[in-house]
Amino acid sequence: SLTITGPTNLKTDYFQRTYYSSDRTLRSSTSSGRATKRNAELAIADTVALKKALKSIKNSVKKEDQNSLVEVSALLNTYNNMIDSTHNSSSAEFSKLQKKVSKLMDKYSEQLDKMGITKNKNGALEINKARFQTTDIDQLKELFSDKSSFIKIG
């Protein structure tokens, strides 16, 4: 998981604990809590957490919160959890969600790339930390505001 340092002392884990409030042991891809769950359970938890993350980031960006980059990083970690769990699920519904999200990432790939965010071959997002830390609030607003179709994943 990625941690952004800078003018804030909040870590991505702080936000992910909020997103995974029903079971905080699922927030990290390396967590022992994830190892004890079935893929379907993980996919549901990750999808719920992603929806919470998207709602939260809209408010953070709207307020031009100094922690917006940290929260975007937490959102990306949550997204990657969801990609992993839905990829390993045999559910048609989760497969459909993953395809929808993948198309959305492709549609916004240029804007994401400007922020240092790229999609790898497995569909997970990777961050160029140096470029990501130079992202300004206007770039975040472009992708994560109420008006953006990018955040209407779920």
Side-chain angles (χ1 to χ4, degrees), residues 105-117:
M105 292 301 159
D106 291 342
K107 179 179 176 181
Y108 288 92
S109 64
E110 187 176 316
Q111 289 168 286
L112 289 165
D113 188 54
K114 287 178 186 175
M115 294 170 49
I117 303 168

Side-chain angles (χ1 to χ4, degrees), residues 17-79:
R17 283 193 315 265
T18 304
Y19 307 156
Y20 286 93
S21 58
S22 62
D23 188 347
R24 292 184 172 145
T25 66
L26 303 180
R27 71 187 181 275
S28 171
S29 61
T30 58
S31 154
S32 60
R34 292 185 75 80
T36 64
K37 300 289 185 185
R38 294 176 308 153
N39 283 333
E41 292 173 302
L42 289 173
I44 290 167
D46 293 336
T47 302
V48 169
L50 184 61
K51 287 180 181 183
K52 286 181 181 180
L54 291 168
K55 184 177 180 180
S56 181
I57 194 67
K58 281 192 295 187
N59 294 329
S60 178
V61 170
K62 188 185 301 183
K63 292 185 282 186
E64 297 188 13
D65 190 323
Q66 69 174 2
N67 295 312
S68 294
L69 276 180
V70 178
E71 191 161 6
V72 169
S73 179
L75 170 103
L76 297 179
N77 289 339
T78 304
Y79 168 86

